[in-house]
Amino acid sequence: MSESTHAVPRGSPHNVLNGSEAQYTNAQQPLVGELGQSTIQSVLSHTEQPGNAIKEIQLKASLRNHHCRPLLSLLDELGVTRLETHTSMLESAKQVLGSRIETMQEEGLLALLEETFPYVSIDGLRSVPLDILKRLEAVPEAYLQELGEDQDLFAELPASVQRQVYEVNRKLLQEHAAPLMAVYLHGVAVVRQELNMDVGGKTITGPPTRQTYRKTLAHLVKLVNMIGGSPKVYRGMMDLCVSKFKESEGLYVGPNQAGYCLLRSQLLMAFHDNASFRQLANEDPCHELAWILDAAIAHSRDAPEQGQEGGVLKPAHMASLKKFFRDFDSKDTGRGKKRKHLSGGSEGESPLYSGGDWRDDCGKVIAEAGMILRDPSAMHLIIKQVLHRLPVIFEAQAVPSEDEDLVFLTRLLQLAVGCRQMLKEKRYAFPPVKMELAGDFFAILIGFTMEAALDDSYDAQDGVLDEPNEQLVELLMREEVVRHVTAMYTLERIAARDWARTRTLMASINQALSLLDERALPEWAAFAATLARRMAELLPQQQVGLGDPVWAACVDRFLLKAVDIDSQ
């Protein structure tokens, strides 16, 4: 191989001059790359005999084998340029070396990498160290750190090496993953999921299942491929989801913020779907929860008619959810105690919660479980199940706060809406049920349900129906859970053509919104989108008309205001 095809390690001794003649610190070092450039510049700028200096440089950079000189002269006569000759020789030499690399053992590869890595920044020689890196099972960290500093070079690395770089350079992982996350979250398919409150019934045009979304959304697939089979990169990616959600702007959680919860859930389930990488999903402490909810959502879409008796959650789903959260009722949750079934391994040996930035206790697990519950589709499913319990309680003449299922589901909703604050304050707990929810709020909704069941004689044009329920207004202003459940309940009343309750509910919502900070509007984005679709469906059916009280309450007083929900 021509010496002119080699480069010199960065920081290696440079040539120095003595008078007009270049004196080389190492006569065997090739004049390529930084050394070659600095040597030629130094020689020509200091010599008084440039012709001799050029001959000296040519001599030092020429092929050593004396048989090469007449062959080069012959090629010159044949019209082959020196550049073409040396390029051909370089490619042949790389092919020979490449075939040897394929059969070398780890020790030999590491030794050759040490010799060739300094030339990785030179285009013509880059393929040699890259071929070596591709064969190594574990690249030494010193090389990984340098590979992460050059973006162009990093882009040419094999995916397996890129993951190793991500493992030692969390900042680079975040820089590369964050833009993909942003594009994913603002994609049409994802926004449709976030804005759809129709669980277990009507669906928006698009792929039939969440699993289909996971397989077809390009940027989610790219995030999965970035992680590959690396537990450290998986952990880093999930940490980024958590961090983005925790640090997202806004006092209220709208689609932009909740999208990170959707991503946390669907990225996990994408690994569940992939047989090659399923072990990473199995080791995620939230895997069981995400799996239960995903199965429940699929069931509610595939067999909505079965939900009339037991609700959108099958008894098996409810039992699994209760089992998952059972251990979190311990008073010392989040104070250092580990759980075997949450860590995915033996007690205290979680592959994902040992080292790095992840906590060793199950405290942060409850907050991330809240993110899984805050996935819009999952939360809407739970709310639907809450609303299913209310007529059951009414018919049994029971007390809402004493209904085990209702209390448990309410706690799940409290966790879902409270997990971001938990992450901010680093105070983790599975919250006890708030009595103003289990008592006052659900009593109001049961009262509405009782009115609808006992008296359907209300005149939809009666102006009294546009008066808000003051107790409900107070609760709407204080509790996010109340806002989400009331929104879903209102949609159910519209679906039942219960215009009397619809108008009272909308009057209460509009009154609360007029008193709340305008920054609360994004929290109502999913309700606004679903309500707009409902109104668009009802109008041609002549179920509602322009200017009638229901239209005025839903469209004029709410939807027109909701148009200003920033970019969401």
Side-chain angles (χ1 to χ4, degrees), residues 242 245-246 367 371 419-426:
V242 173
F245 175 61
K246 178 182 69 174
M371 288 185 65
C419 62
R420 187 165 73 138
Q421 197 63 28
M422 284 186 194
L423 291 166
K424 288 178 181 289
E425 298 178 355
K426 297 183 179 179

Side-chain angles (χ1 to χ4, degrees), residues 62-91:
S62 64
L63 297 169
R64 298 178 190 174
N65 192 319
H66 66 278
H67 293 297
C68 292
R69 293 185 180 179
L71 292 175
L72 289 172
S73 298
L74 175 61
L75 291 171
D76 290 341
E77 293 297 326
L78 294 174
V80 181
T81 66
R82 289 297 175 91
L83 175 61
E84 293 172 330
T85 300
H86 285 82
T87 299
S88 176
M89 294 173 63
L90 173 61
E91 294 303 318

Side-chain angles (χ1 to χ4, degrees), residues 447-453 455-458 465 489-490 493 498-507:
F448 285 147
T449 302
M450 179 177 63
E451 290 177 1
D455 184 3
D456 59 358
S457 62
Y458 283 121
L465 298 177
Y489 185 70
T490 303
R493 291 297 87 205
D498 180 4
W499 306 128
R501 259 60 59 183
T502 295
R503 288 171 60 188
T504 301
L505 288 163
M506 287 304 305

Side-chain angles (χ1 to χ4, degrees), residues 6 87 120 211 215 219 345 391 462 491 540 563 566:
H6 291 278
T87 299
V120 74
Q211 186 177 32
K215 291 180 179 179
H219 290 85
D462 188 345
L491 292 172
V563 171
D566 50 38

Side-chain angles (χ1 to χ4, degrees), residues 40 46 56-57 91 110 112 127 211 233 262 306 315 382 432 448 455-456 495 511 538:
I40 294 172
H46 290 82
E56 181 70 15
I57 292 171
E91 294 303 318
L110 288 172
L112 185 59
S127 61
Q211 186 177 32
V233 181
L262 173 64
Q306 297 179 13
I382 295 168
F448 285 147
D455 184 3
D456 59 358
Q511 177 70 15
L538 292 171

Side-chain angles (χ1 to χ4, degrees), residues 356-482:
D357 294 330
W358 284 33
R359 295 170 64 95
D360 289 330
D361 57 76
C362 72
K364 192 180 175 187
V365 178
I366 188 67
E368 294 198 39
M371 288 185 65
I372 301 297
L373 294 168
R374 192 63 182 79
D375 171 343
S377 296
M379 191 166 74
H380 296 154
L381 182 84
I382 295 168
I383 294 172
K384 288 282 286 187
Q385 189 67 21
V386 165
L387 296 179
H388 170 79
R389 292 299 305 166
L390 298 183
V392 175
I393 294 170
F394 165 64
E395 292 174 5
Q397 297 184 353
V399 178
S401 60
E402 296 178 359
D403 185 85
E404 179 183 339
D405 284 354
L406 182 64
V407 168
F408 173 70
L409 292 166
T410 305
R411 295 180 70 192
L412 294 186
L413 292 177
Q414 290 178 222
L415 176 58
V417 302
C419 62
R420 187 165 73 138
Q421 197 63 28
M422 284 186 194
L423 291 166
K424 288 178 181 289
E425 298 178 355
K426 297 183 179 179
R427 295 176 62 86
Y428 309 113
F430 185 26
V433 69
K434 292 183 178 181
M435 290 311 298
E436 65 178 351
L437 297 178
D440 300 340
F441 174 55
F442 291 135
I444 294 172
L445 297 191
I446 288 176
F448 285 147
T449 302
M450 179 177 63
E451 290 177 1
L454 300 179
D455 184 3
D456 59 358
S457 62
Y458 283 121
D459 182 359
Q461 305 300 319
D462 188 345
V464 176
L465 298 177
D466 291 319
E467 294 295 324
N469 182 301
E470 295 298 337
Q471 187 180 10
L472 178 57
V473 171
E474 289 294 325
L475 290 170
L476 283 166
M477 292 175 61
R478 288 201 304 269
E479 293 291 340
E480 184 178 353
V481 170
V482 172

